[in-house]
Amino acid sequence: MNWKKGGGDGGVSKRWAVLLCLGSFCLGLLFTNRMWTLPEATEIARPNQSDEDSNKVAAGDCGSKKVQELQSYKDVLQGQDAHQDVQTLDKTIANLETELAAARTLQESLLNGSPVAEEFKVSESIGKRKYRMVIGINTAFSSRKRRDSIRYTWMPRGEQRKKLEEEKGVIIRFVIGHSAISGGIIDRAIEAEDRKHGDFMKIDHVEGYLALSGKTKTYFSTAVSLWDADFYVKVDDDVHVNIATLGQILSKHAWKPRVYIGCMKSGPVLSEKGVRYYEPEHWKFGEPGNKYFRHATGQLYAISKDLATYISINKHVLHQYINEDVSLGSWFLGIDAEHIDDRRLCCGTPPDCEWKAQAGNICAASFDWKCSGICNSEGRIWEVHNKCAEGDKALWNSTF
């Protein structure tokens, strides 16, 4: 190329060459700055982000709006599951509290030298197995005939009872305390009966009719420490029970954290001395003629593990009224417990439970209201069992 001072047809002038170089330099700077400019935050790909999500973000304001709508939808879904998550958390906390309560009860038992300590040795072999329900049959020293009538009607015995525990997760025990003079002839008679049948649950409680509230509290505290179950049932020893039907009723509420199941009632507060079910603390319930709060009748009721744990943890401060069913109901008044009223837990004796069984509506528990149990249960429970029982196949084929 020829360089000419004044320019010409065959070359480029010196002035145009300088301008061309300067322009090229500026274009180079512009291109370089563009290449090294950091991308905006919306252009940065997030980890694990799909191409579709990236395109939405890069779309500007419209894309941002869609992302916000998607997040709002996720929040709605999370809100729908919030209630179930809270219930799951409640059960987790209750399980931890149960372990703590068990440790406390064991420590007290060992320090006091109570007969419960031997039961805890049995629990070591049981381990952490989960059971469906624990049925505690409230009994007294003088009720040997009642216990035998139950053993030969609705309660499996021996190997069958062990099979029930292993295959169906159902624990059944007669609940008994000890006499005022522990180790006396009455206590030795219970020990001999237990060696024969092996179906007692001995608790640290002095037996007595006026101490039923304390016995109930000790039963639940001990049972929740011995066995990890969904439900803990208390039943009197003059009541007929269909175990499979009871299990089916309870299984419908197994996912709920705090459940109190029974035949709910609200009877009058009796303030006259000498009458049955007299309430010495009647003044706490207001003016004469008032009724009790709603609570389950004492013949049979069930509570979930969380409520049994609550009783165990707070047993030293829970007030005991003279009537045991009233006491239990009062313990759940100030907490978030769900009351379930199921009339299959309080059927009458034949013909009532018989008619219901023939109609396909089998009762879980049967007794006579006028006797607060089966009248003359030692003999009549056989009649109830023959006419109102669900049958052995119902128990062993059940899936509760």
Side-chain angles (χ1 to χ4, degrees):
M1 179 181 292
N2 295 323
W3 294 88
K4 293 183 179 182
K5 183 176 181 180
D9 296 334
V12 180
S13 67
K14 185 176 182 180
R15 178 182 296 176
W16 282 107
V18 172
L19 292 175
L20 183 61
C21 292
L22 182 61
S24 299
F25 177 75
C26 292
L27 289 174
L29 288 176
L30 179 63
F31 180 79
T32 303
N33 289 338
R34 178 59 182 169
M35 291 296 293
W36 288 98
T37 300
L38 292 175
E40 296 294 333
T42 56
E43 297 175 344
I44 300 176
R46 290 174 291 181
N48 300 325
Q49 184 179 25
S50 64
D51 294 339
E52 182 180 354
D53 292 337
S54 299
N55 292 335
K56 289 182 179 179
V57 175
D61 295 339
C62 181
S64 299
K65 184 177 181 181
K66 291 182 178 179
V67 172
Q68 292 175 356
E69 292 176 352
L70 178 61
Q71 183 61 41
S72 299
Y73 180 70
K74 291 180 179 179
D75 292 340
V76 171
L77 292 179
Q78 292 175 354
Q80 293 176 348
D81 295 334
H83 183 64
Q84 185 174 357
D85 291 341
V86 170
Q87 291 179 334
T88 302
L89 180 60
D90 285 344
K91 278 189 171 291
T92 302
I93 295 174
N95 289 337
L96 295 175
E97 290 176 340
T98 300
E99 295 179 4
L100 178 60
R104 287 175 176 172
T105 306
L106 176 58
Q107 182 183 32
E108 293 175 2
S109 175
L110 294 175
L111 292 176
N112 297 333
S114 68
V116 182
E118 295 182 0
E119 295 286 352
F120 277 103
K121 294 178 181 178
V122 176
S123 68
E124 294 176 0
S125 62
I126 296 174
K128 292 294 183 178
R129 161 149 187 198
K130 187 73 174 181
Y131 293 89
R132 171 58 70 186
M133 58 183 170
V134 175
I135 302 176
I137 307 173
N138 184 37
T139 191
F141 291 130
S142 59
S143 299
R144 173 63 185 266
K145 291 182 178 181
R146 287 187 179 183
R147 291 191 291 273
D148 285 340
S149 67
I150 290 177
R151 290 181 180 119
Y152 288 93
T153 53
W154 63 266
M155 175 183 174
R157 308 186 312 277
E159 293 301 321
Q160 289 293 96
R161 181 172 56 82
K162 294 180 181 179
K163 179 182 178 182
L164 185 66
E165 296 177 5
E166 296 173 358
E167 296 186 5
K168 301 299 180 181
V170 178
I171 303 291
I172 306 179
R173 295 289 189 276
F174 288 105
V175 181
I176 194 73
H178 56 82
S179 61
I181 304 176
S182 184
I185 186 173
I186 298 179
D187 297 299
R188 292 198 298 270
I190 293 296
E191 292 175 359
E193 187 178 347
D194 192 27
R195 285 194 296 270
K196 179 179 180 181
H197 298 284
D199 53 10
F200 276 95
M201 174 184 173
K202 301 175 186 176
I203 61 176
D204 187 15
H205 171 78
V206 178
E207 284 291 328
Y209 180 78
L210 297 179
L212 289 180
S213 294
K215 184 175 182 179
T216 299
K217 183 163 57 176
T218 304
Y219 158 62
F220 284 123
S221 300
T222 306
V224 78
S225 300
L226 289 173
W227 297 287
D228 180 12
D230 292 327
F231 291 97
Y232 299 84
V233 182
K234 176 262 176 182
V235 59
D236 289 340
D237 61 3
D238 54 355
V239 174
H240 183 272
V241 178
N242 283 320
I243 301 173
T245 303
L246 175 61
Q248 292 167 2
I249 292 174
L250 299 183
S251 64
K252 295 180 180 179
H253 307 283
W255 59 273
K256 301 176 181 178
R258 291 171 295 277
V259 184
Y260 173 33
I261 305 176
C263 288
M264 300 296 165
K265 65 175 184 176
S266 180
V269 180
L270 302 179
S271 58
E272 299 181 9
K273 291 184 177 180
V275 300
R276 192 178 186 185
Y277 306 127
Y278 163 68
E279 178 57 72
E281 297 180 272
H282 57 85
W283 59 273
K284 290 185 177 181
F285 298 92
E287 301 300 324
N290 282 355
K291 292 185 176 182
Y292 287 114
F293 39 80
R294 299 289 287 180
H295 61 281
T297 183
Q299 284 82 0
L300 186 148
Y301 48 74
I303 62 176
S304 60
K305 178 183 177 181
D306 292 34
L307 294 184
T309 302
Y310 171 79
I311 293 175
S312 179
I313 294 174
N314 300 283
K315 60 184 178 182
H316 297 299
V317 295
L318 293 177
H319 185 69
Q320 298 173 195
Y321 290 100
I322 192 67
N323 296 308
E324 160 252 342
D325 52 355
V326 172
S327 294
L328 184 75
S330 70
W331 299 339
F332 303 146
L333 281 179
I335 63 176
D336 187 17
E338 181 178 357
H339 291 53
I340 304 295
D341 182 25
D342 196 313
R343 311 314 289 184
R344 288 175 292 175
L345 301 178
C346 55
C347 295
T349 55
D352 181 42
C353 60
E354 183 179 11
W355 290 342
K356 292 177 179 177
Q358 292 174 355
N361 187 24
I362 299 177
C363 296
S366 302
F367 57 88
D368 298 309
W369 282 103
K370 63 180 179 179
C371 298
S372 298
I374 299 176
C375 299
N376 302 317
S377 63
E378 297 91 338
R380 288 195 61 240
I381 197 172
W382 290 91
E383 174 193 356
V384 178
H385 186 68
N386 291 334
K387 295 182 179 181
C388 303
E390 60 194 356
D392 291 339
K393 291 184 178 180
L395 176 59
W396 300 112
N397 294 336
S398 62
T399 57
F400 57 81

